[in-house]
Amino acid sequence: MSDAAWRALLAVGVMAVLAAACSKREAASSRVADAGWLTGGHDAAQTYHSPLKQIDAANAGRLGFAWDYDLETTHGQEATPVVVNGVMYASAPWGFVHAVDARTGQRRWVFDPKVDSAITSKVCCGIVSRGLAVSDGRVYTASIDGRLSALDANDGKLLWQVDTIVDHERGYTVTGSPYVAGDVVVIGNSGGELDARGYFSAYRIATGELAWRFFTVPASSQGPFEHPELERAAKTWDPNSRWEVGLGGTVWDGMAYDPTLDLLYVGVGNSALYPRKLRSPGGGDNLFVSSILAIDPKTGRLVWHYQTTPGDQWDYTATQKMILADLRIGDRTRQVLMQAPKNGFFYVLDRSTGELLSARPYVPVTWASGVDEKTGRPVETEQGDYGNEPRLVFPSPAGGHNWQPMAFNPDTGLVYIPALEASAVFWIPDAPYVYAKAGINTGALYGFPAAHAGDWGLESPAAKHLPPLAELAKGQPDTTIRGFLRAWDPVANKVVWEVDTSGQWTGQMNALWNGGGVMTTSGNLVFQGQSTGALHIYRATDGHPLAAIDIGTSIMAAPMTYELDGVQYVAVMAGFGGALGGVHPVGTAAARYGNAGRIVTFKLDGGAVPRPAELNRVSSVPRPAVERFGSAADIEAGNALLKRNCARCHANEGPGAIPDLRWMSAETHRQFEDIVLKGVRAAKGMGSFAGSITPAEAQQIRAAVVDSAWRAYETTQNTPQSAPHVPESAPHTPVTADNGVSR
């Protein structure tokens, strides 16, 4: 054989060896990806699906306790952990990060962002975190005050940190997860009910250098236009829009990334103010509120957009989690993006072009009769227009689907949605709107037709002038509030199966929040936790219940799963809160066992799950610490101020982690102004409201709280202890309540 032939043969052999090595590395990498949980939604497509199937429909009943971990907080848990190389990384309220041995639950390190708790005065819907990102040995996390941090995954050391907030005088916070797209990490913000102007920012993953920033709404009709898309967007707003309010469009939750198309998908939130007639009197689509954006992550430029709710005026965010998948539609396979946003329609879009492929209601919808699939626009109804009179509208501001993640199983072809069936009555108050700097700026009120809804119901002082519910609901769908786990076929556009998750709260507010986020696996399983403290497991094909494990801690977040050393684990972050404020409705695990947040992990043939000790609740209603004071007008004004500034945390309707203001001690009453206006309890999470509330208004709030306390006390007595102070305007004081939106 010639030298040339030998060299050729040798080259072939070397190439074969290299190819085999590459194949082994790729196979190993694939096994790691399959065995781990690499993003909040498992993968860049955010499917919340794992291909693992050691735990399956035949053995799910054998699932038991493996380990748990104390998160050392009583705030709500909305995140799903990430597992990379045997380490679990979990984001917790305020922006804490816990790194835990995923085999044993032993702590490796904790990152404390050291947040100034005065930020709580700007928090809409709970001190929460919805996740973190891990990439190339770094953990990316956002704290509620808007700082984005890169940590060393091995030891938690801070590598870089940037302040992502452009104006700290406004009502900005951050509750969402960072997302990695190529060589940037992207983060949005919250504050759509306050006075935030929405935007999201991309930073170089290695250095933290700002790569680009995309504003979702213009600053004015005349600019400045920070990027070209805003000049186009400005034409969809009335030049006389309330620019000073910020206009909303915050990016507070869902994103997804397609590395093949190199496109980042971003969900945009609701408008502010809510009513069009106040926000943009001349109308318009008001781009880019309530939209899905496809962004080139290298440049930050818009590739396409689709607006789910043009001119939104119902808090119909498009920030809900998006899922990327390949679906066989007709005679071809389409690369799609799927979303079930608040507005009640399930959307399937071509994710390369933004073309609408389908949009069908997955819950009752009355604000629109449908979506014109030729134009992509909703066909609005008269029922949705509350500009001149109160209207009962489906869905409610809680949406047909809120922040709780849905999941897609490619084996069944089904999307599993934690769906909400509820309406709300929207109306514009008689009093002229006045802008509140860094305060609540919705410009509209709404009430839920629910039992025990407190300030969020139609029995509240703010709703006392409304027509009767029977009149408002005439000819409308059933207003009974319910929650469902709904299996949706995105090709046939229909419900395949569903499970009612309302529990004992059918018709009450907690029917909306009893069912948590969803995870599915190739073991033909669907997992969903509930506020009762039970982790439910269903057969993915037909919804047949397989197991329910009581952990003694309320669950809102989506579970996840991973495999190590041949053992498949399932884990979930547990703890009640978020938009629910501090209320723990009777029947929830939080009401029975308290609300100490923890991670609970399971494996086949594990033991019984240890539950916290039961609380010793005092069932009697105490006598209020101070006597009534203030005029009827003061109390009525105080109730309005309570709903606007306080009810998102202090629902004052029952047991919970956040104090019920009705039962303040005499000493707390004496300190009330210092607490509310000087922030003397900021370290406990009660920041100063000096920029939003005057001293006189603080006393009106206190008068309303005292009046409410006396009414609750008198209800428990055979005869009133004193004559009712304000017969016509006193607040209804039922036993339990939650509120309806999440940010």
Side-chain angles (χ1 to χ4, degrees):
M1 185 179 293
S2 66
D3 289 345
W6 275 111
R7 284 195 297 272
L9 184 61
L10 181 61
V12 170
V14 170
M15 291 299 291
V17 171
L18 289 173
C22 289
S23 177
K24 289 180 179 179
R25 282 197 300 270
E26 290 173 0
S29 176
S30 176
R31 285 194 298 273
V32 169
D34 287 350
W37 190 276
L38 306 183
T39 75
H42 177 268
D43 42 53
Q46 304 301 313
T47 61
Y48 286 83
H49 166 265
S50 170
L52 296 178
K53 49 188 176 183
Q54 181 182 100
I55 302 167
D56 59 22
N59 61 26
R62 291 165 42 202
L63 209 59
F65 179 72
W67 56 262
D68 66 354
Y69 175 86
D70 184 1
L71 291 165
E72 300 177 352
T73 181
T74 57
H75 290 290
Q77 303 298 328
E78 297 187 1
T80 299
V82 171
V83 170
V84 179
N85 296 328
V87 179
M88 178 181 289
Y89 302 95
S91 69
W94 301 105
F96 276 76
V97 177
H98 298 261
V100 179
D101 187 314
R103 294 173 175 85
T104 65
Q106 182 177 357
R107 175 179 292 178
R108 294 171 65 99
W109 54 260
V110 175
F111 171 71
D112 177 357
K114 301 188 184 305
V115 173
D116 181 347
S117 56
I119 191 68
T120 55
S121 67
K122 299 179 180 180
V123 172
C124 159
C125 305
I127 299 166
V128 298
S129 170
R130 295 191 190 87
L132 49 71
V134 179
S135 180
D136 294 333
R138 302 182 188 90
V139 178
Y140 300 97
T141 182
S143 54
I144 198 164
D145 59 4
R147 287 173 293 144
L148 177 67
S149 302
L151 313 175
D152 187 310
N154 290 320
D155 57 15
K157 179 181 178 181
L158 182 64
L159 301 176
W160 56 256
Q161 187 176 86
V162 294
D163 183 356
T164 72
I165 302 301
V166 297
D167 184 353
H168 284 280
E169 296 300 311
R170 290 186 175 270
Y172 284 109
T173 54
V174 173
T175 56
S177 173
Y179 289 80
V180 172
D183 67 351
V184 296
V185 56
V186 184
I187 188 68
N189 44 62
S190 307
E193 270 60 54
L194 286 82
D195 62 349
R197 178 190 175 204
Y199 65 89
F200 51 102
S201 309
Y203 298 87
R204 302 294 177 196
I205 58 175
T207 65
E209 175 190 3
L210 179 66
W212 48 262
R213 176 170 286 137
F214 190 102
F215 284 90
T216 62
V217 294
S220 79
S221 62
Q222 302 301 315
F225 302 126
E226 291 89 344
H227 44 85
E229 294 84 353
L230 289 174
E231 187 169 5
R232 171 189 174 193
K235 296 176 182 177
T236 69
W237 293 82
D238 186 326
N240 297 315
S241 294
R242 297 298 296 264
W243 305 106
E244 75 277 18
V245 180
L247 303 178
T250 52
V251 176
W252 55 266
D253 197 6
M255 301 186 202
Y257 175 60
D258 185 330
T260 302
L261 295 175
D262 195 22
L263 287 178
L264 170 70
Y265 305 96
V266 178
V268 181
N270 59 280
S271 59
L273 309 161
Y274 285 0
R276 293 169 185 161
K277 66 183 296 182
L278 299 183
R279 179 183 73 246
S280 180
D285 288 350
N286 296 173
L287 292 173
F288 291 96
V289 301
S290 302
S291 296
I292 298 169
L293 311 180
I295 301 291
D296 182 338
K298 296 188 296 297
T299 65
R301 296 283 61 82
L302 182 68
V303 176
W304 58 258
H305 83 277
Y306 179 84
Q307 191 171 35
T308 58
T309 313
D312 166 55
Q313 60 175 354
W314 306 275
D315 191 15
Y316 289 163
T317 62
T319 52
Q320 283 55 54
K321 295 287 196 300
M322 294 166 284
I323 292 175
L324 311 183
D326 294 346
L327 297 181
R328 187 74 177 177
I329 300 176
D331 59 356
R332 56 187 289 207
T333 298
R334 304 293 294 262
Q335 296 176 304
V336 305
L337 177 152
M338 299 181 287
Q339 189 189 49
K342 276 191 181 183
N343 74 8
F345 292 98
F346 188 96
Y347 293 87
V348 181
L349 305 177
D350 184 306
R351 69 176 184 266
S352 63
T353 66
E355 175 191 358
L356 176 65
L357 301 178
S358 62
R360 305 292 171 81
Y362 62 95
V363 293
V365 174
T366 63
W367 69 274
S369 60
V371 175
D372 185 325
E373 294 188 2
K374 292 182 179 178
T375 66
R377 298 181 64 86
V379 181
E380 291 193 23
T381 66
E382 183 180 352
Q383 187 64 30
D385 184 4
Y386 61 91
N388 297 314
E389 61 180 317
R391 296 280 192 177
L392 180 86
V393 183
F394 284 83
S396 76
H401 171 217
N402 207 277
W403 65 265
Q404 294 89 340
M406 64 184 189
F408 171 67
N409 191 320
D411 303 321
T412 64
L414 300 178
V415 179
Y416 305 96
I417 310 169
L420 315 175
E421 292 197 356
S423 61
V425 177
F426 290 81
W427 73 95
I428 300 175
D430 293 334
Y433 166 74
V434 178
Y435 168 53
K437 184 74 172 179
I440 297 294
N441 287 282
T442 59
L445 296 176
Y446 56 83
F448 290 84
H452 310 309
D455 282 341
W456 299 98
L458 297 180
E459 297 172 321
S460 71
K464 66 179 184 294
H465 70 286
L466 294 177
L469 177 60
E471 179 180 333
L472 292 167
K474 187 176 181 179
Q476 302 305 306
D478 181 4
T479 60
T480 303
I481 295 178
R482 294 183 177 89
F484 293 90
L485 173 59
R486 194 157 271 168
W488 179 266
D489 185 329
V491 177
N493 295 301
K494 66 178 184 179
V495 175
V496 174
W497 59 260
E498 65 182 28
V499 174
D500 190 322
T501 58
S502 309
Q504 70 187 66
W505 299 282
T506 297
Q508 300 180 35
M509 293 297 291
N510 200 51
L512 297 178
W513 304 116
N514 186 40
V518 183
M519 182 261 289
T520 184
T521 74
S522 287
N524 195 23
L525 300 176
V526 173
F527 295 77
Q528 184 189 38
Q530 294 189 1
S531 68
T532 58
L535 178 65
H536 290 264
I537 309 172
Y538 305 96
R539 195 159 54 207
T541 48
D542 59 8
H544 179 74
L546 299 171
I549 306 171
D550 183 4
I551 70 170
T553 307
S554 295
I555 303 170
M556 302 191 300
M560 51 84 72
T561 187
Y562 58 96
E563 183 179 300
L564 288 169
D565 307 322
V567 177
Q568 183 181 351
Y569 298 86
V570 172
V572 68
M573 297 182 71
F576 210 47
L580 307 175
V583 172
H584 301 158
V586 174
T588 64
R592 182 177 180 183
Y593 298 103
N595 199 43
R598 58 182 181 146
I599 303 170
V600 182
T601 306
F602 313 86
K603 64 180 180 179
L604 289 176
D605 302 318
V609 179
R611 293 193 292 268
E614 290 196 40
L615 299 177
N616 182 21
R617 295 286 190 192
V618 177
S619 59
S620 61
V621 175
R623 181 184 176 89
V626 300
E627 296 298 322
R628 283 185 168 105
F629 68 95
S631 67
D634 285 332
I635 291 174
E636 185 168 11
N639 279 316
L641 289 163
L642 266 169
K643 182 164 185 179
R644 181 170 183 171
N645 296 284
C646 314
R648 60 188 190 263
C649 292
H650 297 280
N652 298 342
E653 297 293 345
I658 297 176
D660 186 328
L661 298 179
R662 294 175 298 176
W663 315 124
M664 290 186 290
S665 68
E667 178 61 25
T668 301
H669 275 283
R670 285 190 288 271
Q671 297 178 355
F672 192 80
E673 282 197 26
D674 288 344
I675 294 169
V676 174
L677 302 179
K678 295 182 180 180
V680 297
R681 294 192 181 179
K684 295 183 178 181
M686 175 61 198
S688 169
F689 280 73
S692 304
I693 297 172
T694 68
E697 289 173 333
Q699 290 305 316
Q700 288 176 326
I701 290 172
R702 193 166 74 89
V705 169
V706 171
D707 182 71
S708 178
W710 274 104
R711 288 182 177 279
Y713 175 71
E714 290 163 355
T715 300
T716 66
Q717 310 302 303
N718 291 329
T719 57
Q721 301 300 301
S722 59
H725 190 57
V726 193
E728 298 302 322
S729 63
H732 178 65
T733 53
V735 178
T736 62
D738 321 316
N739 67 37
V741 297
S742 184
R743 243 350 126 260

